[in-house]
Amino acid sequence: MKHIQIHKLWPFGVAAIIAFAFLFVGGGNKASNDATYALVVPSFMGVAHAAPANAATEIIQNEAGMSAYFQATTPVTISSVRPVYQTIELETSEYILGSVALAGYPEDHAPHVYVHVDGWFLAYYLNTDPVAKIIDWNAYTASGDTIISTKLENVLAIVAGSAGVGIPGITHYDFRFPNATNMMLIAERAEGTGNNYFTVNIPTSFGVAERSWSLFDGGYCAFFQLNGTNLYDGCSPHNFGSISAAQMPPSTTHTIVIGHGTEDVGGIALVYTE
Amino acid sequence: MKRYIALIGCIVLLLAYSVFSLSADPTVIIVEHADLYETNALTDSPTLMGLLNAVADRMTLTYGDTVRHLSLAAVPPALSTLLNAVADRIRLTYGDRVRHLPLAVVPPALQTELDAIADRFVLQYPDDNRRFTLNYPLAIIGDTAPPTIVSTPQGSFTGSTARITWTTNEFTTYVLQYGASSGSYPNQVSSSLFNRQHTAVIPGLTGDLYYYRIISTDLSGNTSTSQEYVLEAEQTIFLPVILRP
């Protein structure tokens, strides 16, 4: 008798369930994953995006990796810096953006340089370049292996010299890693035709955003080795590349060996958050 | 005549036999021209050999002027106890000079200062290194545009914890404010890290419906507040099964 009563009521039950489901589920945007909760977007939209300060700074934000910059204490004229540019990508009465060649380096080592009449100078490599590319091994050798300088600093010196302004102090920044607070450059020279090495151990409390290597081979051929693995073994003078997180985990002593040529100098760059 | 020849032959053969048999046996003592000789057979003396075999092993000394034999006795237990109490030591041989310095535990005050030293890269043997501080070129970029959310936030739930993800058009930090009533956001989660892809985790949610908004701040300090979004818990419906008799 009881079963017959349920059987007669089943259309009403199904209708109630459908109505219940529509009420609580139909208004949502159910995702394919059963564990996903739907987020319903209200009808109004967010704040519109305005244009950046100028076209050059927009380019810089989109393509720059590691950069170096300073502001001169006096205004500059664009015409005073234009002669040192190898290529000019943008030029207005307010600013100029292009590449400036560095003596002793091939064309693809020419940093991009932005100069504004307000006295701002900014040099950068592209965000596809590993950070270690900035190490200026020619300048390091010229200093008697005592001063590590960057190509970005040295190209800024060229442009500042052309503008006739002094450099009060240069600051670096990597547009790829906004949370990074520091960069470390480490240099090593291999004496004669032999090898030389150094070790580095990264604390686990540091957040390392980028690891990369660079090697200048002054004669014959050379190699760059990390923990027994060759990252480079060839005969071209200017070499650099990236090091993955798996290749250089923290809290481990890593050994970097360079050498084999007659004038090899190389090292690594680490961008990190303390 | 034949008899003489045979006799002579026999004598020659006998002499030849004697000569060859004597030379082939080295143990035979040949005595010639002696007036008298005597032979004695030598035999083992069991008594004497027994005595010789009983002689103990010994050091064999030859040409020594004087010998002194000292018996070594086991260390008396009392002395052995004292010897065992001697501490281990570094054994030095032929060192011209020795200086012993006891190492003490670092005083607490110094240890406190040592513990306060920040973590660092541990470098060994590089020729040079240089450390840079990185800073955003705020004045050069001159960005005055507030950041925007370019993808609709998506949420998922694991138990009572919600996970909301969204994307901004530039690197931003965020403060995600939320509450159970529309327009009221008494609670918040935040991140001070600059990212484009964001994930906010909200633990301890007990209700089924929440309202939230996201405040984004870019590297230039420009801030934007999003519209209100709704986080709605998915309801699981169990359909009844009706069995016909």
Side-chain angles (χ1 to χ4, degrees):
Chain A
M1 184 65 180
K2 185 178 180 181
H3 290 301
I4 293 172
Q5 286 179 340
I6 292 175
H7 175 68
K8 288 180 177 177
L9 293 174
W10 77 266
F12 298 100
V14 170
I17 290 166
I18 292 173
F20 179 81
F22 179 79
L23 183 63
F24 287 92
V25 182
N29 182 19
K30 185 175 183 298
S32 57
N33 188 329
D34 289 343
T36 301
Y37 280 69
L39 298 173
V40 181
V41 182
S43 57
F44 55 92
M45 292 298 295
V47 181
H49 176 63
N54 62 51
T57 56
E58 183 173 6
I59 290 173
I60 292 168
Q61 290 184 87
N62 289 334
E63 73 174 20
M66 182 55 72
S67 66
Y69 63 93
F70 72 94
Q71 185 177 27
T73 54
T74 56
V76 297
T77 60
I78 300 304
S79 59
S80 67
V81 298
R82 188 188 300 109
V84 298
Y85 274 80
Q86 184 178 42
T87 63
I88 297 175
E89 300 167 27
L90 282 176
E91 182 179 0
T92 69
S93 59
E94 297 289 311
Y95 60 83
I96 184 171
L97 175 64
S99 62
V100 177
L102 278 170
Y105 286 100
E107 187 180 20
D108 60 350
H109 284 247
H112 298 260
V113 181
Y114 167 81
V115 178
H116 193 278
V117 291
D118 287 345
W120 285 108
F121 292 71
L122 183 143
Y124 64 93
Y125 279 128
L126 298 180
N127 53 24
T128 52
D129 287 326
V131 171
K133 182 180 180 181
I134 70 170
I135 303 174
D136 191 338
W137 295 121
N138 288 347
Y140 182 69
T141 301
S143 73
D145 294 355
T146 57
I147 300 172
I148 300 176
S149 62
T150 70
K151 294 170 191 165
L152 303 179
E153 290 173 309
N154 295 330
V155 81
L156 286 177
I158 294 172
V159 183
S162 179
V165 298
I167 300 177
I170 292 177
T171 304
H172 287 76
Y173 178 75
D174 197 311
F175 285 85
R176 292 166 292 191
F177 313 116
N179 301 303
T181 57
N182 294 90
M183 171 175 64
M184 176 77 83
L185 304 179
I186 307 169
E188 183 72 35
R189 174 178 290 279
E191 300 293 340
T193 56
N195 304 334
N196 209 348
Y197 79 100
F198 67 91
T199 66
V200 59
N201 192 316
I202 304 169
T204 53
S205 59
F206 283 13
V208 180
E210 206 257 17
R211 313 149 200 81
S212 50
W213 62 273
S214 175
L215 174 69
F216 172 71
D217 175 18
Y220 300 100
C221 303
F223 68 81
F224 187 101
Q225 196 178 79
L226 171 64
N227 296 328
T229 300
N230 280 344
L231 302 186
Y232 172 81
D233 187 359
C235 305
S236 59
H238 303 286
N239 311 283
F240 52 85
S242 296
I243 299 173
S244 70
Q247 288 175 305
M248 192 174 274
S251 193
T252 304
T253 298
H254 304 284
T255 302
I256 292 92
V257 183
I258 64 168
H260 206 31
T262 56
E263 190 184 346
D264 309 322
V265 58
I268 61 173
L270 301 166
V271 178
Y272 57 98
T273 305
E274 283 189 353
Chain B
M1 187 61 182
K2 291 183 180 176
R3 289 181 183 176
Y4 288 113
I5 293 171
L7 182 60
I8 292 169
C10 289
I11 292 170
V12 170
L13 288 173
L14 187 60
L15 287 172
Y17 173 78
S18 301
V19 171
F20 285 115
S21 62
L22 286 173
S23 64
D25 186 355
T27 62
V28 174
I29 298 173
I30 301 173
V31 179
E32 291 181 318
H33 313 300
D35 294 335
L36 183 61
Y37 70 89
E38 181 181 354
T39 62
N40 290 293
L42 297 177
T43 58
D44 291 339
S45 170
T47 304
L48 177 57
M49 286 307 294
L51 291 173
L52 292 175
N53 289 335
V55 175
D57 290 338
R58 73 198 190 285
M59 293 184 188
T60 303
L61 300 173
T62 306
Y63 313 129
D65 292 335
T66 310
V67 170
R68 183 181 176 194
H69 178 255
L70 296 174
S71 298
L72 300 178
V75 176
L79 176 56
S80 182
T81 301
L82 293 176
L83 292 175
N84 290 334
V86 175
D88 289 339
R89 71 198 191 285
I90 297 173
R91 297 179 186 175
L92 301 173
T93 306
Y94 313 128
D96 290 336
R97 231 167 269 106
V98 169
R99 184 180 177 194
H100 178 254
L101 294 174
L103 299 178
V105 176
V106 175
L110 176 56
Q111 186 64 53
T112 301
E113 292 191 3
L114 293 175
D115 292 341
I117 295 175
D119 287 341
R120 72 200 194 284
F121 290 115
V122 181
L123 304 175
Q124 292 195 99
Y125 316 127
D127 291 336
D128 291 290
N129 76 298
R130 184 179 170 194
R131 182 175 177 272
F132 299 75
T133 300
L134 305 177
N135 285 299
Y136 179 65
L138 177 66
I140 296 181
I141 298 303
D143 179 16
T144 56
T148 59
I149 294 174
V150 295
S151 69
T152 303
Q154 298 291 321
S156 64
F157 246 89
T158 303
S160 61
T161 299
R163 185 180 300 270
I164 301 172
T165 60
W166 71 97
T167 305
T168 48
N169 67 324
E170 56 182 319
F171 288 113
T172 70
T173 62
Y174 72 81
V175 176
L176 188 151
Q177 300 173 327
Y178 65 96
S181 302
S182 177
S184 175
Y185 316 103
N187 308 304
Q188 70 177 41
V189 291
S190 63
S191 171
S192 59
L193 292 178
F194 287 94
N195 282 303
R196 284 191 167 98
Q197 307 288 335
H198 306 272
T199 299
V201 177
I202 309 174
L205 297 181
T206 56
D208 295 330
L209 183 64
Y210 290 92
Y211 300 87
Y212 67 94
R213 65 182 183 181
I214 299 168
I215 300 172
S216 304
T217 303
D218 67 15
L219 289 157
S220 298
N222 303 307
T223 297
S224 67
T225 302
S226 76
Q227 63 193 65
E228 182 180 85
Y229 297 98
V230 178
L231 174 63
E232 189 175 12
E234 179 180 281
Q235 301 297 321
T236 303
I237 307 299
F238 295 96
L239 296 176
V241 178
I242 301 173
L243 300 176
R244 290 187 121 181

